[in-house]
Amino acid sequence: MRIVELSEENKKEVQENILHRSPQQFGPQEAIVREIIENVKANGDAAVFEYTAKFDKAQLSAENFEVTEAEIAQAYEEVDPALVDVIRKALVNIRDFHEKQKQNSWITTTEKGTILGQKVTPMQRVGVYVPGGKAAYPSSVLMNVVPAKTAGVEEVIMTTPCNSEGKVNPAVLVAAKEAGADRIFKVGGAQAIAALAYGTESVPKVDKIVGPGNIFVALAKKAVYGNVSIDSIAGPSEILVLADETANPRYVAADLLSQAEHDELASAVLITTSEELAKKVSDEVEAFTEVLSRKEIIRKSIDNFGCILVARSEQEAIDAANEFASEHLEIMMKDSFEVMTKIRNAGAIFVGEYSSEPLGDYFAGPNHILPTSGTARFFSPLCVDDFVKKSSIIHYSREALEEIHKDIEQFAKCEQLTAHANSIAVRFENEEE
Amino acid sequence: MRIVELSEENKKEVQENILHRSPQQFGPQEAIVREIIENVKANGDAAVFEYTAKFDKAQLSAENFEVTEAEIAQAYEEVDPALVDVIRKALVNIRDFHEKQKQNSWITTTEKGTILGQKVTPMQRVGVYVPGGKAAYPSSVLMNVVPAKTAGVEEVIMTTPCNSEGKVNPAVLVAAKEAGADRIFKVGGAQAIAALAYGTESVPKVDKIVGPGNIFVALAKKAVYGNVSIDSIAGPSEILVLADETANPRYVAADLLSQAEHDELASAVLITTSEELAKKVSDEVEAFTEVLSRKEIIRKSIDNFGCILVARSEQEAIDAANEFASEHLEIMMKDSFEVMTKIRNAGAIFVGEYSSEPLGDYFAGPNHILPTSGTARFFSPLCVDDFVKKSSIIHYSREALEEIHKDIEQFAKCEQLTAHANSIAVRFENEEE
């Protein structure tokens, strides 16, 4: 068996080549994204700068790649102080909620000398992708960075595209600073994901990449998955309102539209037991749409993915909601809390008529990054747990192992794994001769 | 806006077509696997039976597709009663450990009338894939089924290939019965994954699929990911032993070989601060290999992926172990528990000289399905949490929302989301006129 002496000189060689493992298999990926990833992997910063010149029309170098403290100070000058104030208020709530999600390491012992446990360790370095352009949402910066920092992640590396002058959206910078992002690099697209996944001269390699992005970002995240972890790939936003005759149709309509305005592909669905409410909500939707600034998007979203379903019973309505498994679910019914107990599948459940969905987007504290496209059947909101990993701890004393060693050997032999059995037996070989 | 009345007749139509959402994008997948998946999705049982005839040479029909109670009773006749006994002993430990992982739903309230919380809901139905042939391990059945049942999953659907007589490995059936699998279908390969992911006339559609398999199974799991959840795709097994001059070289060598015997691609690595131990372990590895039944596999694995690294200090050894991020890590050093505190990245940590790795494979209780290929940097052992999902709960009273409603409107307007702002403002429109 090979013996290699570790030294300062061979450290990298050891980890990269000597301790090589059988490579993981990946399916073929979208060609352009693969090419970008390979190029960034091979050429580091140079490739990143090349793509940024091509796609974002910005000239970057090692000197202006990372956002400086001066740029952040400048961003504070440009942002409405009222927004800074709201961000700070929201952060108190967001931190407070995520703090409650933290899990402790634990152990369990027996007097025979066994110790079993679960050690919780934060990931060391995490990447947060923040889209640029029209979809630059400071609230999403808070929702991605806070759970990572609350989990104890040492370094949160943010990437976000800059404009052709090399400038980043100031509200995004302020939100990043307030939330505690450690470093910010001016890069977007698949090249940002590749830089985070493999590291470059400037960008450190991370353990996990989170945050929404366009199709290139989504494909790149899928391609690097396995080398790093990723969050789930989010689809268009959705709202499902469960309402009965006690609901206020103006509130229902306004809430449906709050999601419809996100995207022409967004879903806004009402399931109600009241035909009267159905009609009133439909009228209110028309009326509101006329006066809202994003009415073009809203109209397309409502026409294509909007729907009011009239159910014949409360149970039928609840069943349909569980089957749809919506990202956001609002309940405005006579017994909203009782109905909540019957909801199996939903990202976030807003209970009662003053719990409008945007309350959750911005302020209440729970994360607004939620499972879409029916994945609430098996996925959860982004949370502190997404930024830690666990290790099992196993310790047996000689006495404890001796008591059961023959059981283990028996099990191993049944599976024809004789070296497994041998590794236990060798500890008791002398006394059994 | 469309209004649709729910009825018994249109229920399916509503969920499948009327409530349609923008489809998710998936990258291209291995052609054959995609074809199998599409065929099973379109033709259900008929396609499954066709592939089973082709790949497993077994003739299945709706009558003999599902394993019956009689077949399970027959399996108990065929299995060594001593194995049944060991399985039951191991199950006590495995259930006990996983029971401790269960998380409660929680809420937090303020007297202003706010309620925030996290509701934990088990997944409704989960699929467990169990490979057939030489890699049929009853211990893996226990490790996949127990966390699902402990989480509260209503139905655990197992699939496993049968032989040409339509018979399933009896030890696998006994383990499944003991662990509490609810239904078992005789199908393997990509067709099993497709049946679980989309459902057929016989096999119910599940929310998540777990369990190891060959390359077709792995690709199929990757392809259906998003439609259902999956566990991480495991690479070859690995062991890393951290040892100093106090370690017993026979124990170290035996433990290295216990993983090497799994697979020619398995990794067995020792990192030690003692050159003397390095030499002794190398000799013991040679001696043991000669007498072990799987010596052909062991030799290839040790030659290709085995290594003994001699580090110049304990800290250097620990750093190298953290960088390797092994699936299994054994610590046999003077201060093994202190060294454990310095381990950031490992699937399971075995502390002390009587905590041999197979103890964890079979008996101690923690899960043996662990992150491989360095993914312990960001992945965790399979656990109860993998079979639940969370929903955020948000409730604000009128009073509570009134106090902060202008903050939310401000934030929404900064993001140019005026319908978001409107949904809050509409609740206070009368008093502000």
Side-chain angles (χ1 to χ4, degrees), chain B residues 197-215:
Chain B
Y198 295 101
T200 68
E201 299 88 327
S202 302
V203 182
K205 174 176 169 29
V206 302
D207 298 317
K208 181 165 187 165
I209 302 173
V210 298
N214 63 18
I215 183 71

Side-chain angles (χ1 to χ4, degrees), chain B residues 10 93 100 116 120 138 141 207 221 280 305 403 407:
Chain B
N10 68 1
N93 292 341
K100 295 194 170 70
L116 299 177
V120 180
V141 176
D207 298 317
K221 281 167 71 182
K280 285 185 184 163
F305 299 101
E403 199 176 300
D407 288 327

Side-chain angles (χ1 to χ4, degrees), chain B residues 131-205:
Chain B
K134 56 171 183 159
Y137 296 134
S139 59
S140 278
V141 176
L142 310 184
M143 293 295 184
N144 277 296
V145 175
V146 169
K149 294 307 285 186
T150 305
V153 171
E154 281 172 31
E155 246 191 324
V156 172
I157 312 290
M158 207 173 99
T159 66
T160 189
C162 56
N163 66 14
S164 58
E165 280 89 51
K167 201 163 172 272
V168 173
N169 181 311
V172 161
L173 287 187
V174 166
K177 178 72 181 173
E178 293 290 329
D182 296 286
R183 302 178 69 182
I184 306 169
F185 292 92
K186 300 170 185 172
V187 54
Q191 57 275 23
I193 303 302
L196 291 167
Y198 295 101
T200 68
E201 299 88 327
S202 302
V203 182
K205 174 176 169 29

Side-chain angles (χ1 to χ4, degrees), chain B residues 279-292:
Chain B
K279 288 185 188 118
K280 285 185 184 163
V281 168
S282 184
D283 293 344
E284 293 285 358
V285 162
E286 295 307 317
F288 274 132
T289 302
E290 273 314 301
V291 299
L292 286 166

Side-chain angles (χ1 to χ4, degrees), chain B residues 41-62:
Chain B
K41 205 172 154 184
N43 302 309
D45 279 352
V48 169
F49 301 156
E50 178 195 323
Y51 290 118
T52 303
K54 185 171 165 192
F55 298 127
D56 301 325
K57 314 289 176 221
Q59 301 306 321
L60 293 184
S61 68

Side-chain angles (χ1 to χ4, degrees), chain B residues 80-100:
Chain B
D80 182 350
L83 177 63
V84 181
D85 197 50
V86 180
I87 284 176
R88 286 178 184 162
K89 282 190 200 170
L91 268 175
V92 171
N93 292 341
I94 299 168
R95 287 200 174 111
D96 189 48
F97 186 84
H98 287 85
E99 200 62 48
K100 295 194 170 70

Side-chain angles (χ1 to χ4, degrees), chain A residues 277-349:
Chain A
L277 184 81
K279 288 187 189 116
K280 283 186 185 161
V281 168
S282 184
D283 292 345
E284 293 285 358
V285 162
E286 296 306 318
F288 273 132
T289 302
E290 274 313 304
V291 298
L292 285 167
S293 61
R294 294 164 74 91
K295 67 178 161 198
E296 299 308 320
I297 294 172
I298 290 174
R299 209 171 284 289
K300 284 190 185 148
S301 153
I302 291 290
D303 286 351
N304 290 322
F305 299 101
C307 186
I308 298 173
L309 276 182
V310 182
R312 289 160 304 171
S313 70
E314 189 178 282
Q315 191 58 51
E316 189 178 62
I318 292 168
D319 289 347
N322 274 329
E323 206 158 330
F324 190 73
S326 187
E327 181 191 15
H328 303 101
L329 174 70
E330 288 189 0
I331 307 173
M332 289 190 243
M333 299 181 93
K334 193 159 155 288
D335 299 307
S336 293
F337 275 95
E338 279 183 26
V339 172
M340 178 271 283
T341 67
K342 296 175 180 144
I343 298 303
R344 294 186 67 104
N345 304 326
I349 309 173

Side-chain angles (χ1 to χ4, degrees), chain A residues 4 6 21 119 207 250 258 261 293 308 310 324 343-344 346 354 377 389 391 398 418 420 429, chain B residues 4 6 21 119 207 250 258 261 293 308 310 324 343-344 346 354 377 389 391 398 418 420 429:
Chain A
V4 177
L6 259 180
R21 286 179 264 208
K119 185 170 182 255
D207 298 318
R250 274 181 80 73
S258 76
E261 80 169 334
S293 61
I308 298 173
V310 182
F324 190 73
I343 298 303
R344 294 186 67 104
Y354 289 97
R377 287 189 293 120
K389 71 267 174 35
S391 303
R398 182 186 168 89
T418 49
H420 281 63
E429 61 192 347
Chain B
V4 177
L6 258 181
R21 285 178 263 208
K119 185 170 183 255
D207 298 317
R250 273 181 80 72
S258 76
E261 79 168 336
S293 62
I308 298 173
V310 181
F324 190 72
I343 299 301
R344 294 187 67 105
Y354 289 96
R377 286 189 293 120
K389 71 269 174 36
S391 304
R398 182 186 167 88
T418 48
H420 280 63
E429 60 191 347

